[in-house]
Amino acid sequence: MKRICALFLGLILLLSALSSCAARPEKHYSDKISVSSSDAENCAVWLTDRLGESLRDRVYISVGDGAGLDMSSFENDGYILKRDGDGIFIAAKTSVGADIAMRKYANAVDLGKGTDFNITYHEGYRIKKLTLAGRDISEYTVVYPESDPELRSSANSYMQYAAADLQRLIAKACGANLALVCGESDASPRIELRRSEELGLHGYRYFFEGDSLIIEGGSEDGCLNGIYRFLENECGWESLSGGESLLHEAEHIDVPADTEDSAIPTFDYFRMANSAVFEDFETDRSVSTHPYGIISYANHSDLIEGNPSVQICYTNENKFMNVCDNVEAFIRLWVSAGLTVGKDLLDINLGQSDNGYYCHCADCMKVIKEEGSVSGVVIRWMNALAKDMEERDPEYAKLKYKCFAYFGSQIPCTTHPAENVWVTFAMDWCCVKHTLTGGDCRNRFPVRAVTEQPTICNDDFARWVREWCDMSDNIYIWFYTLECHLQRFSVFDILYDNVRYFRDCGVKGLMWEHDDSGFGFMRLDFQLVYELIWNTDMTRGEFDALKDHLFEREYGDGYTYILEYIDILQQAQLRSDVCWDSWAWEDYNGYGYAKPNGYYMRDDEYYADNFDLSAELLERAVTLAGSARQEDRAKRMTVHMYYEGCYSSYFRALDEGNAAEIGKIKERYSLMIDRIIEAYKNKGTPRYLGYIGEDDVTVFSLSEVKFPKTIEEMSESWARDYLPKGRR
């Protein structure tokens, strides 16, 4: 670095000479900018376009080693950004780093901030010196236990992963290559990994014994969670355990000898399901910590023979015995493959088919009447099956037998599930505008399979969750917050309260189905829920601060403009006089729009009134993005805003005969289409995201929905099926 600084003035003179060379071809950037290469020239064009007349400094841009700089010690996104008098010097290893540096400078000029930069970013190791209890990290040995034959193979693998990943991440952070020892060791000082039954499957605890760091973990991935949380909490490595990881730079970090922390996640099982993920998280960990849990939620079982569109008769003895035979054959198949019941083979899925057509024979109806719920006939059947399997082989009592409370069977029955019968409560059609416990949910929804009449609201769902949890310690939740393609709604306000409510009820596992077409902010929802399940006691203020911080990391300097837009979106939701259920999307027959229960999820007039402001806010966020990736995310964020704004405003402009407004709306709709196409092309148009057609684009989430390239054709679909409220 000293050599680079010494070359600084010489490099400025060199670049100035190069840029003034008479043989140089025509430039497409400001005369105030000097460059060292074609990559740097592309940066110069961008900077010229971005700042225009606001560019008053001399700027010198070098990318790679072309100007005699040795940038080999920098990471690919590393750079130097430095002021010298009236000159700004940018040097980067690659165009990625140059882009970030340029944007940092341009945003400072744009926002009227100071530009007296002296930044060296991502050169060498992120942490220059790391000490534990005052001793240099290089003195430590990582010690971990040998495999335990009583544990599942995955548990032993997690311990090995934990030791290896700790070694790898420490080396990446500060360059120290720690020795690994498996088994007993008298190494001192050491970082020792231990198993602890007190921490369940996934919990962790870390503390010091003398100058040795001890990381204890639950029997499955506890130590793995412990090392990730240690590096997050004590070494400044953000979101290493879940989300987009980032290790901050530091000259010296010392972890004091009185440092300690422990946590057990709220749920034994967690999964955030996405049907179409547009952008994977970039993470430094080598082992996934999500989904976690050794027993998953119930799903639709193929062990139950019959028509998948109709539930079986749960009182038919022959059908019951057939299923028991299927289950036994399934178990024996896996045992013959080498699995051990109760160790590697833990559960049997017997979830109902995906429909609400329960048997209405006299015997089934009698049980349902006695139990007071459709769920009664299912739970009695499950209890009988678990008992029958135990009678066939006592080892089968170690298995968990899983079913649903779903599609009309959500309402708890009288009979309690047996200890090894686990129930997944699927919150199909719950309201996702309001929290479960706020008491604000007033509109009614039908319970499919029981009635098509609107009879329930979130108060009912909340009561049923608690009643199921009072009946059994083995209740999972399958929670739906399903998106609707380009119609977007915010669930930030319900995440916090609902997760805490599930915790308070004693829910054992959580499957959060949160489908994502990529044109919104669901990546942030995932990270917020993941942090909540590890720290459900965080205050509302802490949750909001975490949300704001994640927005800043996701979108850069313009994140406050996006947060202001989110407020508009949430206000439009709150001003609507209706609730909407978790299936707030349509339609399979034509072009896409949201149509929840015949109403709209927003106050369209309010959204239209704030359309100009929303566009201004989000375009400002695009401009202020701190990197090309952040700009891409910000552009994708604008897509749903333009769609919803055009939808809310177009017919009003037609009614008013406002030609100028109609023209502006058309331009915004075209920009929306262009950005969908741009996003798809950036990803190589993977088929799981959608398609670019000649006349339309197709967006995929839970279904494929076409969006024509002209608003005139789109408006025909809106007008044919469902105009904004009051405009028929």
Side-chain angles (χ1 to χ4, degrees):
M1 186 60 225
K2 291 181 179 179
R3 190 166 71 86
I4 290 177
C5 291
L7 288 173
F8 177 54
L9 292 177
L11 178 64
I12 290 177
L13 295 174
L14 172 63
L15 293 178
S16 297
L18 289 173
S19 65
S20 61
C21 179
R24 187 172 186 83
E26 181 184 357
K27 296 194 302 181
H28 299 283
Y29 55 90
S30 171
D31 289 334
K32 293 185 174 68
I33 303 176
S34 301
V35 300
S36 68
S37 64
S38 59
D39 282 342
E41 190 170 281
N42 293 334
C43 295
V45 173
W46 183 93
L47 190 60
T48 301
D49 292 341
R50 169 66 193 282
L51 289 182
E53 296 300 320
S54 298
L55 178 62
R56 294 185 172 86
D57 294 306
R58 296 287 300 172
V59 180
Y60 310 91
I61 305 174
S62 172
V63 179
D65 300 331
L69 290 176
D70 180 5
M71 303 295 291
S72 60
S73 62
F74 283 76
E75 297 179 49
N76 284 338
D77 63 347
Y79 62 83
I80 300 168
L81 175 58
K82 185 178 178 66
R83 171 173 288 283
D84 183 64
D86 64 349
I88 291 291
F89 171 60
I90 295 172
K93 182 175 183 177
T94 70
S95 57
V96 174
D99 174 74
I100 296 172
M102 266 194 320
R103 291 171 186 268
K104 183 174 285 292
Y105 168 69
N107 287 350
V109 173
D110 193 342
L111 296 170
K113 296 181 178 180
T115 57
D116 290 334
F117 294 108
N118 187 13
I119 300 172
T120 301
Y121 183 72
H122 286 185
E123 180 194 20
Y125 296 110
R126 303 282 181 93
I127 301 175
K128 308 308 179 187
K129 183 178 182 181
L130 175 61
T131 55
L132 305 182
R135 301 186 65 159
D136 192 83
I137 187 66
S138 62
E139 300 178 31
Y140 283 77
T141 299
V142 177
V143 179
Y144 66 100
E146 296 177 337
S147 296
D148 185 341
E150 298 300 316
L151 294 176
R152 286 161 43 88
S153 58
S154 63
N156 290 312
S157 296
Y158 274 129
M159 182 62 76
Q160 296 168 10
Y161 293 149
D165 229 23
L166 177 60
Q167 181 190 50
R168 182 184 64 84
L169 292 170
I170 290 294
K172 182 172 184 176
C174 61
N177 293 298
L178 307 186
L180 293 182
V181 176
C182 178
E184 296 294 329
S185 173
D186 57 1
S188 180
R190 64 183 180 273
I191 303 176
E192 183 178 345
L193 307 184
R194 299 175 181 170
R195 297 187 179 94
S196 172
E197 293 184 2
E198 297 177 2
L199 296 168
L201 297 173
H202 315 294
Y204 70 85
R205 179 190 303 119
Y206 58 76
F207 55 92
F208 279 90
E209 286 183 355
D211 52 8
S212 290
L213 174 66
I214 310 300
I215 301 178
E216 293 182 339
S219 60
E220 278 288 315
D221 55 354
C223 280
L224 192 66
N225 291 325
I227 68 158
Y228 292 155
R229 289 301 184 181
F230 173 80
L231 293 170
E232 285 178 338
N233 297 340
E234 314 306 335
C235 300
W237 208 321
E238 283 194 49
S239 303
L240 181 58
S241 57
E244 190 102 348
S245 59
L246 171 65
L247 175 57
H248 292 282
E249 295 180 306
E251 287 298 319
H252 179 204
I253 291 177
D254 179 60
V255 183
D258 60 354
T259 298
E260 59 180 328
D261 186 58
S262 64
I264 297 175
T266 298
F267 310 110
D268 286 350
Y269 175 87
F270 170 74
R271 180 185 177 192
M272 177 76 84
N274 290 281
S275 66
V277 179
F278 200 98
E279 181 183 6
D280 293 331
F281 292 114
E282 288 194 352
T283 180
D284 292 290
R285 68 178 182 275
S286 63
V287 183
S288 174
T289 58
H290 48 77
Y292 69 78
I294 60 176
I295 299 178
S296 67
Y297 58 99
N299 214 322
H300 309 298
S301 175
D302 56 7
L303 292 176
I304 303 176
E305 297 176 351
N307 187 337
S309 299
V310 179
Q311 304 294 347
I312 65 168
C313 175
Y314 281 103
T315 57
N316 184 298
E317 185 66 22
N318 289 332
K319 292 183 181 295
F320 173 78
M321 296 308 299
N322 285 341
V323 174
C324 290
D325 291 342
N326 289 344
V327 171
E328 185 174 22
F330 178 83
I331 296 170
R332 288 181 173 178
L333 176 66
W334 283 108
V335 169
S336 67
L339 300 189
T340 301
V341 172
K343 180 182 175 182
D344 302 300
L345 180 60
L346 297 176
D347 57 287
I348 303 293
N349 179 45
L350 293 166
Q352 300 96 294
S353 300
D354 193 11
N355 67 81
Y357 301 102
Y358 287 88
C359 178
H360 286 67
C361 74
D363 289 336
C364 283
M365 294 305 295
K366 179 182 177 182
V367 175
I368 292 172
K369 183 177 181 180
E370 291 172 354
E371 293 284 342
S373 170
V374 174
S375 60
V377 71
V378 178
I379 297 302
R380 283 196 192 183
W381 186 87
M382 290 291 298
N383 288 351
L385 183 141
K387 182 179 179 181
D388 184 274
M389 298 310 299
E390 182 179 1
E391 291 173 352
R392 295 183 183 213
D393 188 331
E395 286 293 296
Y396 297 168
K398 298 177 181 178
L399 293 167
K400 320 300 181 188
Y401 299 92
K402 303 182 299 188
C403 68
F404 278 124
Y406 176 53
F407 243 133
S409 62
Q410 294 103 324
I411 303 171
C413 51
T414 300
T415 298
H416 289 209
E419 186 175 351
N420 59 342
V421 170
W422 291 32
V423 180
T424 295
F425 182 93
M427 303 195 64
D428 195 16
W429 282 28
C430 67
C431 172
V432 293
K433 176 180 179 180
H434 299 114
T435 63
L436 289 170
T437 58
D440 298 321
C441 184
R442 288 290 177 264
N443 291 168
R444 298 281 172 171
F445 301 94
V447 180
R448 287 190 282 181
V450 175
T451 175
E452 293 301 320
Q453 299 302 312
T455 60
I456 65 168
C457 67
N458 273 2
D459 293 339
D460 302 293
F461 278 103
R463 184 177 71 256
W464 296 337
V465 169
R466 185 171 292 280
E467 289 174 353
W468 275 112
C469 289
D470 288 343
M471 293 170 61
S472 170
D473 294 330
N474 302 313
I475 304 300
Y476 279 37
I477 296 294
W478 186 332
F479 192 80
Y480 300 73
T481 49
L482 307 175
E483 72 160 25
C484 39
H485 305 98
L486 299 188
Q487 291 275 32
R488 185 70 49 173
F489 55 94
S490 166
V491 295
F492 291 124
D493 283 351
I494 74 169
L495 294 179
Y496 178 81
D497 290 316
N498 283 1
V499 171
R500 286 166 61 91
Y501 181 71
F502 295 147
R503 183 273 313 268
D504 293 344
C505 288
V507 167
K508 197 178 192 73
L510 176 61
M511 205 289 273
W512 196 287
E513 186 165 358
H514 208 47
D515 300 278
D516 184 13
S517 67
F519 297 105
F521 35 78
M522 287 191 173
R523 278 166 47 96
L524 302 178
D525 292 343
F526 168 84
Q527 294 177 85
L528 285 167
V529 173
Y530 189 75
E531 290 303 320
L532 266 175
I533 62 178
W534 277 96
N535 182 16
T536 320
D537 289 328
M538 73 169 67
T539 65
R540 171 71 76 172
E542 291 170 335
F543 176 81
D544 289 340
L546 174 62
K547 180 188 72 174
D548 292 357
H549 177 65
L550 289 173
F551 265 91
E552 182 177 13
R553 287 193 54 195
E554 191 82 353
Y555 299 108
D557 289 343
Y559 81 100
T560 56
Y561 296 100
I562 295 181
L563 287 173
E564 189 173 345
Y565 164 72
I566 296 295
D567 287 340
I568 293 173
L569 179 61
Q570 290 179 320
Q571 278 297 312
Q573 293 174 182
L574 293 173
R575 288 168 181 258
S576 171
D577 58 357
V578 298
C579 301
W580 63 84
D581 65 47
S582 56
W583 293 87
W585 56 270
E586 292 275 343
D587 81 30
Y588 292 104
N589 301 317
Y591 294 119
Y593 51 90
K595 195 167 62 176
N597 289 321
Y599 296 95
Y600 281 89
M601 63 179 74
R602 298 176 315 275
D603 180 329
D604 288 307
E605 292 297 321
Y606 178 83
Y607 202 94
D609 289 343
N610 286 274
F611 188 21
D612 286 344
L613 176 57
S614 297
E616 180 182 346
L617 292 170
L618 292 195
E619 289 300 336
R620 186 65 172 148
V622 170
T623 299
L624 293 175
S627 68
R629 292 186 68 212
Q630 289 178 342
E631 181 179 326
D632 175 58
R633 293 170 187 164
K635 284 181 176 179
R636 285 191 277 117
M637 167 72 86
T638 68
V639 167
H640 81 270
M641 179 272 297
Y642 281 128
Y643 179 78
E644 295 181 352
C646 290
Y647 166 80
S648 299
S649 306
Y650 185 66
F651 293 104
R652 184 168 73 176
L654 286 177
D655 289 347
E656 295 171 352
N658 190 332
E661 183 69 12
I662 293 171
K664 182 171 64 177
I665 293 170
K666 287 182 178 180
E667 290 178 0
R668 288 175 173 172
Y669 186 88
S670 296
L671 177 59
M672 177 203 81
I673 295 295
D674 289 343
R675 285 191 172 162
I676 294 175
I677 294 173
E678 178 186 359
Y680 282 0
K681 286 183 176 179
N682 287 343
K683 295 289 287 185
T685 320
R687 295 178 66 86
Y688 65 83
L689 290 175
Y691 311 87
I692 302 173
E694 182 177 346
D695 300 317
D696 51 42
V697 294
T698 299
V699 175
F700 179 79
S701 179
L702 282 178
S703 64
E704 295 179 355
V705 174
K706 295 181 183 296
F707 295 88
K709 293 182 178 179
T710 66
I711 195 170
E712 289 84 359
E713 190 174 358
M714 183 76 253
S715 66
E716 290 179 8
S717 177
W718 291 339
R720 180 181 68 246
D721 293 313
Y722 216 82
L723 288 174
K725 191 162 41 178
R727 298 184 182 278
R728 282 198 172 278

